[in-house]
């Protein structure tokens, strides 16, 4: 089964039903049980934080109780939160130079490499040199 890493932005855009076609296809496959979406713990925390603060996502204000959203990770969202492993440190070291001021980006990419997922579902174009990405 195909497995993808997703970042916080992808989850937030999913929540307002505004994913572009390629990303929407991946999320639809996960909803149908045909793919696995892994949300690294760091990205899960970012998702909770941004939603609780009332983030603007594609023109919609999304404000969600973080406890409800956290419960959604286990119930209604097609994502699986994955914990970091010790081996993640080995994967993050080469990404520290290209992402010196964005450690959370490096950690999400490192999770993708460490867990050997098929691609990263993200709108972040800076990642294309470091991983296959899916968005548009």
């Amino acid at each position: 089964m195909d497995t993808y890493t997703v970042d916080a932005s992808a989850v937030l855009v999913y929540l307002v039903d505004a994913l572009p076609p390629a990303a929407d296809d991946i999320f639809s496959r996960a909803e149908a049980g045909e793919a696995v979406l892994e949300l690294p713990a760091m990205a899960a925390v970012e998702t909770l934080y941004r939603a609780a603060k009332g983030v603007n996502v594609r023109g919609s204000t999304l404000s969600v109780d973080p406890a409800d959203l956290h419960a959604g990770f286990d119930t209604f969202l097609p994502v699986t939160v994955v914990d970091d492993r010790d081996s993640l440190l080995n994967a993050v070291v080469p990404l520290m130079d290209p992402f010196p001021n964005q450690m959370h980006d490096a950690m999400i990419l490192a999770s993708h490499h460490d867990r050997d997922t098929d691609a990263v579902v993200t709108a972040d174009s800076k990642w294309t040199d470091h991983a296959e990405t899916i968005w548009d």
Side-chain angles (χ1 to χ4, degrees), residues 22-100:
D24 190 50
D25 178 62
I26 298 296
F27 272 79
S28 294
R29 289 179 49 217
E31 290 172 336
E34 299 168 357
V36 174
L37 300 181
E38 293 187 352
L39 180 65
M42 176 173 275
V45 171
E46 180 184 1
T47 304
L48 295 173
Y49 177 80
R50 290 173 64 191
K53 292 293 185 186
V55 65
N56 184 302
V57 181
R58 304 284 169 140
S60 297
T61 299
L62 178 64
S63 182
V64 180
D65 181 284
D68 292 341
L69 185 54
H70 180 253
F73 291 149
D74 294 327
T75 57
F76 67 87
L77 291 171
V79 299
T80 301
V81 177
V82 294
D83 290 323
D84 297 332
R85 305 182 292 199
D86 289 340
S87 56
L88 182 71
L89 293 175
N90 294 326
V92 80
V93 169
L95 296 167
M96 292 175 80
D97 187 43
F99 296 96

